[in-house]
Amino acid sequence: MQNIVIDKPYVPVPPYHGRIWPRILSLYAPRMLRKKYGVVHVECVNAERLKQSVKAGHGVLLTPNHCREEDPFVLGSLSRAVGSPFFIMASWHLFMQDWLSAFLTRRAGAFSIYREGIDRTSINSAIEILETAERPLVIFPEGFISRTNDKLNELLEGSVLIPRTAAKKRAKMQPPGKVVVHPIALRYHFKGNIESAAAAVLTDIETRLTFRPQQLSLVDRIYKTGNALLSLKELDYLGQPYTDELGTRLNRLINSILGPIEEQWLKTRHDDSVPSRVKRLRSAILPDMTAGEIDEAERQRRWKQLADLYLAQQLSNYPPDYVHSNPTTERILETVERFEEDLTDKIRLHGPLHATITVGEAIEVSPTREGRGGTDPLMEQIEKQLKSMLGIEQPKV
């Protein structure tokens, strides 16, 4: 399990308002992207849309999809293109790795959000940034890294509640001000040899599984390896492997992990999205841990549950037919990267990668929600633009 949950009392990391450090770090960002992530080229499309909103003095919220770890650094290219640094709302665990990373992360424009509870301090900071229109604010509405560039996860409510609250405040200004949202589509293209890159990862995993050398196509190797890894987890949690449809197996395993924990902590099982269920459970499990009000045996028991929650969320990010339905270079790379990440908590460098940032049209935020019940209209507009720019097929009305 990656170190994304911190069992310490939350201390908010506020926004850093200086402009010299963001300018210095933006000069280093291209080199870091090449060396650490293999991103050698970043293209900005329709950046003038964002320039116009900034020039008009609007409070500006950017809502990118979140498919790779390097997304915030790639957005630095858009920041340079429009001539303004960004504020970025980032998970608190990113500030808890080491002092240097925390120091630089904050000065690059990031401030913390506590995902395991209600973080009023961070929410108020985000609202104030939009109210004052100091600089554009970035919120990743999916809430976590998906590693699936062709799939958009459920968007979080905060990505519309924050701009709407700020819009109410700006509407009272003299003269009245506006808040706009620009959906941002991030897409990556792998320009290397996918056969070589994917085969290297698969061979290492197959060796760990004691497979003999495989004489299969790359896609067949992916599904054979994935089936083996899933079978091992089924044996671990369910006592036997299953052979029915992949999506059914994933749902069965996820529910067998989350269900008993929900019954203990929430007294009932839920059937909404896996990220929502995981967030709800973390919020129930962590408070006593951070307060130091439990003994070591109970702490270890809860850590085991948190590891199970992490596994369930990771399993939910494997669309069953993701590769078979369209075996593109990028889908193959994303899948083998996720295999390696889930087994080792690390991903080897694959490159070169080309990134494209597409800026969506400005969506003016109404101070009041239009319509009641169902999906928020602003959320619908953000999601529709993101899917359109990413080329994700949308259901027909």
Side-chain angles (χ1 to χ4, degrees):
M1 183 177 88
Q2 293 190 17
N3 188 27
I4 63 171
V5 177
I6 308 297
D7 62 340
K8 297 178 181 178
Y10 173 59
V11 179
V13 179
Y16 174 79
H17 295 272
R19 288 180 172 262
I20 294 176
W21 269 105
R23 190 176 300 120
I24 293 172
L25 293 173
S26 72
L27 297 175
Y28 174 71
R31 181 172 183 270
M32 186 268 291
L33 280 170
R34 289 194 301 272
K35 292 190 66 174
K36 186 173 182 179
Y37 299 108
V39 178
V40 299
H41 178 73
V42 180
E43 178 186 7
C44 297
V45 178
N46 296 331
E48 66 279 358
R49 291 174 173 172
L50 179 54
K51 280 185 180 180
Q52 290 171 3
S53 294
V54 172
K55 185 177 180 180
H58 300 325
V60 178
L61 176 64
L62 309 180
T63 57
N65 59 306
H66 201 3
C67 57
R68 299 185 72 87
E69 181 183 344
E70 57 265 37
D71 293 342
F73 306 106
V74 167
L75 285 172
S77 295
L78 179 60
S79 170
R80 291 190 294 276
V82 300
S84 171
F86 297 160
F87 284 121
I88 301 178
M89 187 178 277
S91 173
W92 183 51
H93 81 275
L94 296 173
F95 298 89
M96 300 297 292
Q97 309 305 315
D98 59 78
W99 75 267
L100 181 59
S101 295
F103 178 89
L104 295 176
T105 299
R106 180 170 180 249
R107 278 151 185 79
F111 63 101
S112 68
I113 179 71
Y114 189 56
R115 299 187 300 185
E116 282 68 51
I118 298 175
D119 184 355
R120 299 192 187 281
T121 299
S122 179
I123 291 172
N124 288 337
S125 293
I127 293 169
E128 183 180 3
I129 288 167
L130 294 177
E131 180 187 359
T132 60
E134 179 182 350
R135 63 181 76 164
L137 169 66
V138 177
I139 295 179
F140 291 98
E142 292 175 280
F144 62 94
I145 300 170
S146 68
R147 204 168 292 286
T148 48
N149 219 163
D150 290 329
K151 176 177 177 287
L152 188 68
N153 288 299
E154 179 182 75
L155 307 186
L156 302 178
E157 288 185 0
S159 54
V160 296
L161 294 178
I162 288 171
R164 183 167 287 121
T165 303
K168 291 178 182 178
K169 292 177 176 289
R170 285 184 64 80
K172 297 176 182 178
M173 297 170 60
Q174 294 300 329
K178 296 180 180 180
V179 173
V180 299
V181 178
H182 284 279
I184 305 291
L186 300 176
R187 180 164 287 286
Y188 296 84
H189 300 278
F190 181 63
K191 300 298 183 179
N193 185 323
I194 189 60
E195 290 284 340
S196 174
V201 178
L202 290 171
T203 297
D204 286 351
I205 298 174
E206 290 161 352
T207 300
R208 293 181 64 166
L209 295 172
T210 70
F211 282 5
R212 293 173 296 175
Q214 301 296 295
Q215 304 298 321
L216 300 171
S217 70
L218 203 55
V219 171
D220 287 341
R221 286 178 71 183
I222 286 173
Y223 275 88
K224 181 175 181 178
T225 300
N227 180 70
L229 295 172
L230 178 57
S231 294
L232 288 173
K233 289 302 178 185
E234 288 174 328
L235 278 168
D236 189 15
Y237 285 88
L238 303 174
Q240 68 179 73
Y242 288 81
T243 58
D244 45 350
E245 193 267 335
L246 184 56
T248 301
R249 293 172 64 192
L250 285 166
N251 287 332
R252 180 191 296 119
L253 180 55
I254 290 169
N255 286 322
S256 74
I257 294 170
L258 295 182
I261 305 177
E262 287 174 327
E263 288 177 350
Q264 177 191 344
W265 290 99
L266 309 175
K267 308 308 179 186
T268 185
R269 297 191 179 209
H270 291 261
D271 59 1
D272 50 344
S273 71
V274 174
S276 295
R277 295 169 73 183
V278 168
K279 176 179 172 62
R280 197 179 294 121
L281 285 166
R282 285 176 177 164
S283 297
I285 292 170
L286 273 168
D288 291 342
M289 297 177 70
T290 60
E293 296 177 352
I294 55 177
D295 59 26
E296 185 59 26
E298 175 63 11
R299 180 176 293 276
Q300 292 305 316
R301 186 183 75 85
R302 294 193 190 195
W303 269 119
K304 182 178 180 301
Q305 290 184 328
L306 290 169
D308 288 343
L309 298 183
Y310 177 82
L311 172 62
Q313 182 157 297
Q314 293 299 96
L315 289 170
S316 74
N317 284 321
Y318 284 99
D321 203 31
Y322 194 62
V323 176
H324 261 155
S325 63
N326 189 17
T328 63
T329 294
E330 287 71 31
R331 291 193 183 196
I332 289 171
L333 181 66
E334 290 164 3
T335 303
V336 298
E337 283 182 329
R338 185 165 286 288
F339 283 167
E340 185 171 43
E341 180 181 42
D342 289 342
L343 278 173
T344 68
D345 284 338
K346 297 179 182 178
I347 299 175
R348 69 192 70 187
L349 178 65
H350 295 290
L353 287 168
H354 288 199
T356 302
I357 306 170
T358 304
V359 179
E361 295 180 2
I363 304 170
E364 183 175 342
V365 181
S366 170
T368 58
R369 174 170 172 170
E370 300 172 2
R372 296 293 175 182
T375 306
D376 189 297
L378 177 57
M379 185 85 80
E380 288 182 337
Q381 292 180 71
I382 294 171
E383 182 177 355
K384 183 177 180 180
Q385 279 205 43
L386 280 173
K387 287 185 174 180
S388 175
M389 291 186 294
L390 289 168
I392 298 173
E393 185 175 348
Q394 304 185 56
K396 297 180 180 179
V397 179

